[in-house]
Amino acid sequence: ADKRYQIKDKVRMIKSDIVCFQESKLQFVDDGILRSLLGLQGWDWMSKQSVGASGGIITCWDESWIELEGQWIGELCLVVIRCSKQEDFFWLLVNVYGPCVLARKESFLAEVKAMLEWSKLLCCVIEDFNMIRQPDQARGSSRSRAEMEWFNN
């Protein structure tokens, strides 16, 4: 309950129109849970449930500013096509949480890359790739170097 209060306070302080969570660890999400997290009414949302205590992605938005035009739920990402109501401007929001298991990382990146190449819309990616992206993060591991090559290519 203490974490929910901290999240609610942060959301109110920032006054954002979009809130994204990765690693929510929630196997079930409903309006009541989101109200307890955000403390706000008039928000819409979509989620990808966790598997056990791992994963879970939630994307929330203020319906007074942003309208849902389409959605796609991938294995490890949520893709939401948005329209900003005031400007009639269409754009793509991608909320991703990458796998921790090395064997799944390359296919995960291929999924995200294919989706971004497919879209002709401006994209905003909110991410936790769970990957080593730069040499100073690698600490000499060959596994980390493979991750860097996959990510940077």
Side-chain angles (χ1 to χ4, degrees):
D2 186 45
K3 284 185 182 182
R4 289 185 185 189
Y5 289 123
Q6 291 174 3
I7 292 169
K8 190 184 300 186
D9 288 345
K10 185 65 84 173
V11 168
R12 285 183 178 160
M13 184 179 74
I14 293 173
K15 299 178 183 173
S16 177
D17 295 327
I18 299 170
V19 177
C20 297
F21 299 95
Q22 297 98 10
E23 189 75 35
S24 70
K25 300 183 181 181
L26 296 174
Q27 294 178 354
F28 175 77
V29 177
D30 65 9
D31 289 336
I33 289 172
L34 288 176
R35 268 196 302 278
S36 74
L37 277 173
L38 301 175
L40 303 170
Q41 303 256 345
W43 282 57
D44 202 357
W45 57 275
M46 63 184 291
S47 69
K48 171 96 172 126
Q49 298 173 342
S50 69
V51 177
S54 177
I57 308 169
I58 304 170
T59 303
C60 311
W61 59 92
D62 182 342
E63 290 182 297
S64 67
W65 288 98
I66 299 167
E67 183 176 359
L68 176 67
E69 293 291 324
Q71 65 183 12
W72 177 76
I73 300 175
E75 184 180 350
L76 294 160
C77 62
L78 297 175
V79 179
V80 181
I81 299 172
R82 303 270 194 238
C83 174
S84 298
K85 289 183 176 181
Q86 277 62 26
E87 295 92 23
D88 199 33
F89 173 68
F90 292 86
W91 50 286
L92 198 66
L93 175 67
V94 183
N95 186 3
V96 299
Y97 180 73
C100 295
V101 179
L102 182 63
R104 296 179 59 205
K105 291 185 180 202
E106 191 170 17
S107 63
F108 159 72
L109 286 175
E111 177 182 314
V112 172
K113 181 180 178 183
M115 183 273 311
L116 292 173
E117 288 175 346
W118 165 82
S119 175
K120 303 293 186 233
L121 300 174
L122 184 64
C123 297
C124 176
V125 179
I126 310 296
E127 53 79 18
D128 180 351
F129 284 107
N130 273 324
M131 298 185 85
I132 303 297
R133 297 171 53 188
Q134 299 176 4
D136 63 336
Q137 300 171 332
R139 298 189 190 123
S141 167
S142 61
R143 173 183 163 191
S144 298
R145 295 194 193 288
E147 289 180 24
M148 281 187 295
E149 289 176 17
W150 293 336
F151 185 88
N152 294 327
N153 291 328

